[in-house]
């Protein structure tokens, strides 16, 4: 990741707008206004003409702007110096100056995902204007208002030109057809932008650009990076077409004027159209309610759409059955189809079960760690401190289950079976107890402990048993024969979504693969088939109350149109968490060392995840819980913080300085992130950068850098992607490390570390490694297996095996804290009383995951809680 410190001239030209300029003292500007000849300028009724400098604090340091004023207008705004992060801040630096000139106001909409930079640019412009002697408050417009736009005529050399710009996932190429005076057509030539997240910017921005004959059109909420790419690609094409006035082209836009206030009455209003919101909406519609969903982005899906998509829930027919321990197949009751039982798929699971079997049943005693260092994820030590009373019944039941399984498993191993080939043990109680100890955490100062509310945990895990069937009944398609794992999941119990299958042929319908098809198309169809409505590009900002209950929602559409709607039965807040609001994460933080979350911290979250719902709830006296415990995603790309996907089972994590492994790669996410912060390196301000190395033919769930056809067949794309992924043999590592520049490790040390790891895997001695590992699934190198399915060490090789090297670092991913709720998802006040008419579901709530969420627990929880809220509304109004 590189930091920019360059001049950005992005908004020029003059728009005339009558203003009243004050004559107060100067603000934060640093340079007096000058005329072209250097003399002091005296204004008439408006500004004092000249160029003025203003500064403000951005995310990474001072932002400096130059503002050119005429007597009656802001002529241009230039960001002349900044230290903001390339890629993340670029949209704000490109868009905010132009927006200020277009609107002739220092108050414009911030760019989602770059709020701090946006606000800083506005503050710097305000300071520059005030340094001229003018009153910047006179050029502050209210939210949703914009000045009329007077577009300028421009000419082109007619033809079709390909404009190129950098989007979120790579180059965006647009074929732009010009007449001699207009844009006639825009088509996407090539794009790697994420479906239903980035590519939602194309249609509305293309339409606006054609109408405006320009690229100054509004960005699309939820698709900030792609929006910037559209503008820049249009500019590139216009320049190739010999645009007569490129500055005017860059300014031309469509004025979206506010319409009449929208009102309406519904039974249920859902705020937020991610997984929890759409689950609530679909269930409420199935219950016969009239439903409205309000969503600030231009498409439904929220953060769920950008997630890995697998969810944790045991599939009983695929795992070990105490009643029939030797069974090799099981029947999915819903379809009557038989499937092979799944296996452990890894070494070390039995060790985990033995630790749980020996877990102390004494009441949890935090003082145990007065004499023992607390290490997150060390369950051997944690098990000796006891168990919280509310989880004791679960532990006792689980111990009985484990005892029966281990008696069977030990006999199988004694008879020559490999641990990884044994039928997988998995129960609801194991899931509940791992959620408990996986979230049982101590604050960084050692003064506080947190763990998940047992009733909320049991509810989402037990009700998750019917989730797949509910989605399938609406058209979702899952892989019924697998129980997978992913980063920080602790076990193999992931349900793999494939997409939508509305025609019932057992294959993914064209254009419906992945999260979009499995989690959103089916429930959207259910909602709309039952008369429900979705209001996109609409931001809810206030809950309406009658003094005793919540009765509705106030919102505003992207064009400023006000919305005020009534809910006769209930409002569900499902706006997600606040992991993209780094300031809020820092302010609430109790868990991480303060230096680990700083102004350079990135997030896997979409720009809309800012904690809006929590703030709305607090405004009506809602209590919050667990906000100090933010989860870092340990496998995030260093260039933008986006989720890289994957599992720690088939790989090793390497310290770039020492060349050594530093953590059990299948640990919880916070354990992995902590290890990375302590053992990674800093690259251009990004902390915790490390190397993940795996066999290039191993599977990275859910198919990172891969394509999947309708039958589920996967083709891996093992090409190099700068500062993300490289494929090399072990003898090429030295050259790669030199190329990267920041890797100090010796390639021979890394090779020796891999060989030691692989030999321990072959010989079942992973527990004897300097950094022991549980859940390892495969070799990094390769070896042949003998007739008994055991690896033959004499055939082991590494030298010519292609390795996949991924470059990653931690970034904020999930906020465990949020609105306090009960098991019906009623929102509660501080005194525990219910706020009548208000419900919450999904990541906007707290109290469930404790201090750390297991990988795959989010999707099952948000869909279960959404349905729970809808059913509670139904029950409360009968």
């Amino acid at each position: 990741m590189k930091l920019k410190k360059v001049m950005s001239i992005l908004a020029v030209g003059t728009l005339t707008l009558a203003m009243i300029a004050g004559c107060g003292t100067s603000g934060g500007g640093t340079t007096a206004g000058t005329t072209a000849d250097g003399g002091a300028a005296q204004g008439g009724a408006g500004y004092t003409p000249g160029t003025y400098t203003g500064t403000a604090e951005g995310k990474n340091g001072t932002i400096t702007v130059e503002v050119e004023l005429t007597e009656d207008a802001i002529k241009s705004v230039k960001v002349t110096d900044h230290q903001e992060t390339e890629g993340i801040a670029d949209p704000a630096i490109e868009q905010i100056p132009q927006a200020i000139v277009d609107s002739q106001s220092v108050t414009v909409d911030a760019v989602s995902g770059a709020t701090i930079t946006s606000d800083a640019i506005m503050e710097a412009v305000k300071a520059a204007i005030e340094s001229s002697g003018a009153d910047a408050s006179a050029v502050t417009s209210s939210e949703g208002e914009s000045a009329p736009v007077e577009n300028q005529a421009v000419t082109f050399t007619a033809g079709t030109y390909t404009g190129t710009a950098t989007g979120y996932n790579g180059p965006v190429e647009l074929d732009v057809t010009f007449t001699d005076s207009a844009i006639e057509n825009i088509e996407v030539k090539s794009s790697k932008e994420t479906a239903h997240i980035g590519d939602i910017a194309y249609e509305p921005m293309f339409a606006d650009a054609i109408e405006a004959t320009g690229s100054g059109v509004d960005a699309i909420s939820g698709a900030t990076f792609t929006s910037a790419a559209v503008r820049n690609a249009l500019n590139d094409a216009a320049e190739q077409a010999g645009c007569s006035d490129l500055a005017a082209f860059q300014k031309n836009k469509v004025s979206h004027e506010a319409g009449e206030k929208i009102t309406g009455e519904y039974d249920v209003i859902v705020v937020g159209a991610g997984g929890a919101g759409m689950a609530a909406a679909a269930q409420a519609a199935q219950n016969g309610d009239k439903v409205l969903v309000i969503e600030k982005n231009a498409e439904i899906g929220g953060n769920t759409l950008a997630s890995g998509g697998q969810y944790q829930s045991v599939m009983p027919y695929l795992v070990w059955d105490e009643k029939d321990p030797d069974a090799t197949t099981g029947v999915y009751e819903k379809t009557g189809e038989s499937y092979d039982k799944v296996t452990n798929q890894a070494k070390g699971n039995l060790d985990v079960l033995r630790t749980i079997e020996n877990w102390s049943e004494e009441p949890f005693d935090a003082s145990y760690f007065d004499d023992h260092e607390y290490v997150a994820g060390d369950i051997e030590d944690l098990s000796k401190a006891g168990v919280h009373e509310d989880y004791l019944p679960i532990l006792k039941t689980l111990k009985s289950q484990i005892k029966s399984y281990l008696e069977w498993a030990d006999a199988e191993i004694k008879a020559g079976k490999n641990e990884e080939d044994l039928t997988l043990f998995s129960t609801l109680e194991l899931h509940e107890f791992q959620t408990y100890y996986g979230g049982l955490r101590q604050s960084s100062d050692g003064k506080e402990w947190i763990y998940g509310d047992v009733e909320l945990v049991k509810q989402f895990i037990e009700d998750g048993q019917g989730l797949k069937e509910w989605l399938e009944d609406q058209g979702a398609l899952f892989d019924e024969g697998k129980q997978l794992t992913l980063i920080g999941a602790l076990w193999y119990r992931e349900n793999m979504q494939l997409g939508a299958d509305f025609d019932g042929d057992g294959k993914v319908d064209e254009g419906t693969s992945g999260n979009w098809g499995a989690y959103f198309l089916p429930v959207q169809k259910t909602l709309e088939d039952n008369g429900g409505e979705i209001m996109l590009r609409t931001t809810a900002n206030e809950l309406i109350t009658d003094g005793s209950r919540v009765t509705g929602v106030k919102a505003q559409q992207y064009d400023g149109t006000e919305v005020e709607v009534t809910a006769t039965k209930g409002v569900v807040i499902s706006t997600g968490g606040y992991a993209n609001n780094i300031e809020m994460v820092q302010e609430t933080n109790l868990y991480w060392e303060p230096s680990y979350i700083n102004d350079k911290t990135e997030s896997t979250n979409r720009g809309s995840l800012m904690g809006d719902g929590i703030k709305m709830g607090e405004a009506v006296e809602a209590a919050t819980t667990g906000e100090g415990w933010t989860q870092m995603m340990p496998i995030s790309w260093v260039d933008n913080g986006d989720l890289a996907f994957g599992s720690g089972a088939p790989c090793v994590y390497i310290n770039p300085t020492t060349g050594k492994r530093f953590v059990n790669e299948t640990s919880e996410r916070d354990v992995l992130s902590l290890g990375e912060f302590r053992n990674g390196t800093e690259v251009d301000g990004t902390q915790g950068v490390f190397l993940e190395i795996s066999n290039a033919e191993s599977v990275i769930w859910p198919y990172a850098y891969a394509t999947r056809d309708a039958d589920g067949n996967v083709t891996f794309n093992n090409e190099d992607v700068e500062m993300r992924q490289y494929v090399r043999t072990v003898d090429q590592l030295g050259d790669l490390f030199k190329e990267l520049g920041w890797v100090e490790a010796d390639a021979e040390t890394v090779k020796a570390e891999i060989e030691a790891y692989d030999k321990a895997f072959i010989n079942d001695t992973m527990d004897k490694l300097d950094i022991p590992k549980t859940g390892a699934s495969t070799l990094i190198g390769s070896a042949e297996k003998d007739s008994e399915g055991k690896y033959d060490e004499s055939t082991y090789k590494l030298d010519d095996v292609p390795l996949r090297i991924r470059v990653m670092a931690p970034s904020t991913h999930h906020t465990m804290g949020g609105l306090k709720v009960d098991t019906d998802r009623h929102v509660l006040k501080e005194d525990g009383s219910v706020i009548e008419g208000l419900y919450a579901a999904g990541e906007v709530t707290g109290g469930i995951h404790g201090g750390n969420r297991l990988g795959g627990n989010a999707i099952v929880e948000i869909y279960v809680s959404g349905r729970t809220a809808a059913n509670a509304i139904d029950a409360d109004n009968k």
Side-chain angles (χ1 to χ4, degrees):
M1 184 181 301
K2 295 183 178 179
L3 298 179
K4 285 187 173 180
K5 199 171 183 180
V6 296
M7 178 178 290
S8 178
I9 305 175
L10 297 159
V12 296
T14 303
L15 286 176
T16 302
L17 183 67
M19 298 179 185
I20 299 174
C23 55
T25 58
S26 62
T30 57
T31 304
T34 59
T35 61
D37 63 4
Q42 298 297 322
Y47 297 122
T48 301
T51 299
Y52 302 86
T53 300
T55 63
E57 285 303 306
K59 185 175 182 181
N60 298 332
T62 300
I63 292 177
T64 303
V65 302
E66 283 186 0
V67 180
E68 185 178 0
L69 302 176
T70 64
E71 287 188 358
D72 55 7
I74 303 172
K75 183 177 181 180
S76 70
V77 175
K78 307 172 185 177
V79 177
T80 58
D81 192 46
H82 72 89
Q83 298 180 23
E84 304 299 86
T85 305
E86 181 180 3
I88 302 297
D90 287 352
I93 293 168
E94 293 165 359
Q95 297 168 31
I96 297 300
Q98 184 169 325
I100 290 172
V101 172
D102 289 348
S103 66
Q104 291 294 293
S105 168
V106 296
T107 304
V108 296
D109 289 339
V111 173
S112 181
T115 306
I116 301 173
T117 304
S118 299
D119 290 345
I121 294 172
M122 288 183 252
E123 284 300 313
V125 172
K126 180 180 178 182
I129 291 173
E130 290 181 342
S131 75
S132 75
D135 180 4
S137 65
V139 287
T140 302
S141 64
S142 62
E143 186 176 356
E145 296 179 354
S146 61
V149 175
E150 186 177 323
N151 290 336
Q152 298 184 34
V154 290
T155 61
F156 313 93
T157 301
T160 299
Y161 304 84
T162 300
T164 304
T166 301
Y168 193 68
N169 294 325
V172 171
E173 292 184 316
L174 303 181
D175 281 341
V176 186
T177 301
F178 297 94
T179 66
D180 59 0
S181 60
I183 300 174
E184 186 174 64
N185 189 47
I186 306 170
E187 294 183 355
V188 177
K189 182 177 183 179
S190 69
S191 168
K192 294 183 178 180
E193 301 303 87
T194 307
H196 307 290
I197 296 178
D199 66 2
I200 61 175
Y202 294 140
E203 184 177 345
M205 290 190 74
F206 290 177
D208 281 359
I210 290 171
E211 181 180 344
T213 309
S215 64
V217 295
D218 291 341
I220 302 302
S221 178
T224 306
F225 286 91
T226 309
S227 297
V230 169
R231 287 199 185 101
N232 292 332
L234 289 173
N235 293 338
D236 183 29
E239 188 171 13
Q240 294 177 50
C243 180
S244 60
D245 189 341
L246 189 60
F249 180 85
Q250 293 172 334
K251 185 178 63 177
N252 286 353
K253 64 180 295 183
V254 174
S255 292
H256 294 288
E257 297 182 2
E260 291 187 9
K261 185 177 185 178
I262 297 172
T263 60
E265 184 177 279
Y266 300 84
D267 295 321
V268 177
I269 297 173
V270 179
V271 182
M278 290 305 295
Q283 184 64 63
Q286 288 178 329
N287 293 344
D289 291 326
K290 182 181 178 182
V291 182
L292 171 67
V293 180
I294 297 174
E295 169 57 43
K296 72 189 297 185
N297 290 327
E299 182 63 276
I300 66 172
N303 233 33
T304 307
L305 194 59
S307 72
Q310 299 175 67
Y311 75 84
Q312 289 222 74
S313 188
V314 59
M315 298 159 75
Y317 60 94
L318 291 181
V319 300
W320 187 76
D321 183 356
E322 185 175 1
K323 296 177 182 178
D324 189 4
D326 295 320
T328 58
T329 61
V331 176
Y332 181 29
E333 186 176 338
K334 183 177 188 295
T335 64
E337 190 169 349
S338 179
Y339 293 90
D340 290 338
K341 296 277 189 179
V342 298
T343 64
N344 274 324
Q345 307 166 64
K347 297 177 184 290
N349 286 348
L350 296 184
D351 291 337
V352 173
L353 295 179
R354 294 186 206 283
T355 299
I356 297 173
E357 187 184 28
N358 293 316
W359 203 287
S360 170
E361 295 182 14
E362 293 297 313
F364 181 77
D365 182 8
S367 67
Y368 172 85
F369 294 99
D370 292 345
D371 301 320
H372 301 80
E373 181 186 6
Y374 169 71
V375 178
D378 183 352
I379 63 170
E380 284 286 349
D381 221 21
L382 193 62
S383 68
K384 298 171 185 175
V387 61
H388 287 86
E389 184 178 2
D390 37 356
Y391 279 89
L392 181 58
I394 295 173
L395 176 59
K396 287 183 174 181
T397 299
L398 178 57
K399 283 186 173 186
S400 176
Q401 296 167 344
I402 290 174
K403 182 177 184 295
S404 297
Y405 177 75
L406 289 178
E407 288 175 354
W408 173 84
D410 288 342
E412 291 291 297
I413 289 177
K414 188 175 181 179
K417 289 285 188 69
N418 298 316
E419 177 188 349
E420 61 269 31
D421 297 327
L422 298 178
T423 302
L424 178 71
F425 171 85
S426 190
T427 65
L428 293 179
E429 288 78 10
L430 176 63
H431 191 181
E432 290 164 357
F433 196 70
Q434 288 192 311
T435 297
Y436 159 67
Y437 73 66
L440 176 58
R441 292 293 185 266
Q442 184 188 64
S443 61
S444 61
D445 62 8
K447 296 180 180 179
E448 296 185 40
W449 287 84
I450 192 172
Y451 64 95
D453 180 286
V454 68
E455 295 305 322
L456 292 173
V457 168
K458 288 172 64 178
Q459 182 189 53
F460 92 78
I461 289 174
E462 292 171 9
D463 288 357
Q465 286 292 282
L467 176 59
K468 183 174 65 172
E469 290 83 349
W470 182 72
L471 289 167
E472 287 176 336
D473 285 342
Q474 297 172 81
L477 186 67
F478 286 83
D479 188 330
E480 315 287 17
K482 289 190 176 73
Q483 289 268 252
L484 308 171
T485 192
L486 51 72
I487 195 74
L490 294 185
W491 211 250
Y492 284 79
R493 54 174 161 247
E494 302 296 336
N495 290 245
M496 185 69 199
Q497 83 294 359
L498 298 177
D501 175 25
F502 292 117
D503 59 17
D505 66 355
K507 295 183 179 181
V508 176
D509 296 343
E510 185 176 356
T512 71
S513 63
N515 294 355
W516 177 247
Y519 295 129
F520 292 101
L521 279 180
V523 293
Q524 180 179 4
K525 185 176 185 299
T526 296
L527 172 65
E528 294 178 345
D529 285 352
N530 286 278
E533 301 173 33
I534 302 173
M535 192 178 289
L536 299 173
R537 300 179 75 181
T538 305
T539 301
N541 47 50
E542 184 181 345
L543 296 171
I544 304 170
T545 69
D546 64 4
S548 61
R549 65 178 286 119
V550 171
T551 59
V553 177
K554 291 182 180 180
Q556 186 179 75
Q557 297 194 324
Y558 72 98
D559 60 3
T561 300
E562 292 183 17
V563 177
E564 188 168 332
V565 283
T566 300
T568 60
K569 292 185 177 180
V571 173
V572 181
I573 298 179
S574 52
T575 52
Y578 55 92
N580 201 52
N581 188 338
I582 302 301
E583 299 100 318
M584 191 171 176
V585 171
Q586 289 175 303
E587 289 170 4
T588 58
N589 176 46
L590 293 172
Y591 185 48
W592 299 97
E593 290 294 330
S595 62
Y596 294 157
I597 302 177
N598 55 43
D599 291 342
K600 294 182 174 63
T601 300
E602 305 287 359
S603 179
T604 66
N605 281 207
R606 298 180 68 178
S608 54
L609 276 296
M610 300 292 288
D612 299 350
I614 294 174
K615 297 170 187 174
M616 289 171 60
E618 288 179 318
V620 294
E621 300 183 26
T624 60
T625 183
E627 287 185 295
W629 314 76
T630 296
Q631 181 173 82
M632 308 296 288
M633 170 51 67
I635 51 171
S636 305
W637 300 126
V638 299
D639 57 352
N640 62 10
D642 198 18
L643 175 59
F645 300 115
S647 159
C651 59
V652 292
Y653 291 179
I654 296 296
N655 181 319
T657 302
T658 66
K660 298 284 191 177
R661 288 179 60 241
F662 56 85
V663 71
N664 176 359
E665 294 85 355
T666 61
S667 298
E668 299 94 323
R669 292 175 176 181
D670 61 331
V671 176
L672 299 174
S673 297
L674 182 63
E676 291 158 18
F677 282 132
R678 292 176 174 174
N679 295 275
T681 192
E682 182 178 315
V683 180
D684 291 330
T686 298
Q687 299 183 83
V689 180
F690 72 101
L691 302 174
E692 177 201 86
I693 301 180
S694 62
N695 189 301
E697 296 181 357
S698 64
V699 175
I700 301 177
W701 300 108
Y703 312 128
Y705 285 111
T707 56
R708 179 177 57 190
D709 63 23
D711 296 321
N713 299 314
V714 178
T715 302
F716 285 97
N717 306 319
N718 279 329
E719 77 278 11
D720 282 6
V721 181
E722 185 178 0
M723 276 303 285
R724 287 193 175 191
Q725 173 176 285
Y726 305 88
V727 175
R728 300 287 190 276
T729 56
V730 71
D731 63 333
Q732 296 171 325
L733 289 180
D735 289 338
L736 174 62
F737 294 169
K738 289 178 182 177
E739 176 187 338
L740 293 175
W742 46 266
V743 180
E744 300 176 17
D746 177 72
E748 288 300 317
T749 301
V750 175
K751 178 181 178 181
E753 190 75 353
I754 294 173
E755 288 177 339
Y757 173 93
D758 279 347
K759 289 178 181 179
F761 184 89
I762 291 171
N763 295 306
D764 289 330
T765 57
M766 302 293 282
D767 59 331
K768 301 298 192 296
L769 290 168
D770 291 341
I771 304 292
K773 182 165 183 175
T774 56
S777 64
T778 189
L779 295 169
I780 310 301
S782 67
E784 297 176 5
K785 290 185 176 181
D786 60 24
S787 59
E788 296 180 352
K790 297 182 182 296
Y791 283 109
D792 181 353
E793 187 174 349
S794 68
T795 66
Y796 174 75
K797 60 181 180 179
L798 179 62
D799 287 346
D800 59 350
V801 174
L803 306 177
R804 183 189 297 113
I805 300 96
R806 300 203 296 168
V807 182
M808 296 179 291
S811 64
T812 62
H813 181 63
H814 188 100
T815 45
M816 270 71 68
L819 299 176
K820 194 170 185 177
V821 294
D822 61 19
T823 53
D824 287 324
R825 290 332 193 257
H826 296 112
V827 178
L828 306 177
K829 296 182 180 181
E830 287 290 351
D831 63 6
S833 63
V834 169
I835 299 176
E836 297 294 337
L838 185 60
Y839 306 77
E843 193 179 343
V844 75
T845 66
I848 303 165
H849 305 291
N852 174 68
R853 177 178 64 80
L854 300 191
N857 268 5
I859 287 182
V860 64
E861 191 281 317
I862 63 178
Y863 275 84
V864 166
S865 64
R867 296 182 67 197
T868 299
N871 288 329
I873 290 173
D874 188 54
D876 290 344
N877 287 276
K878 285 186 175 178

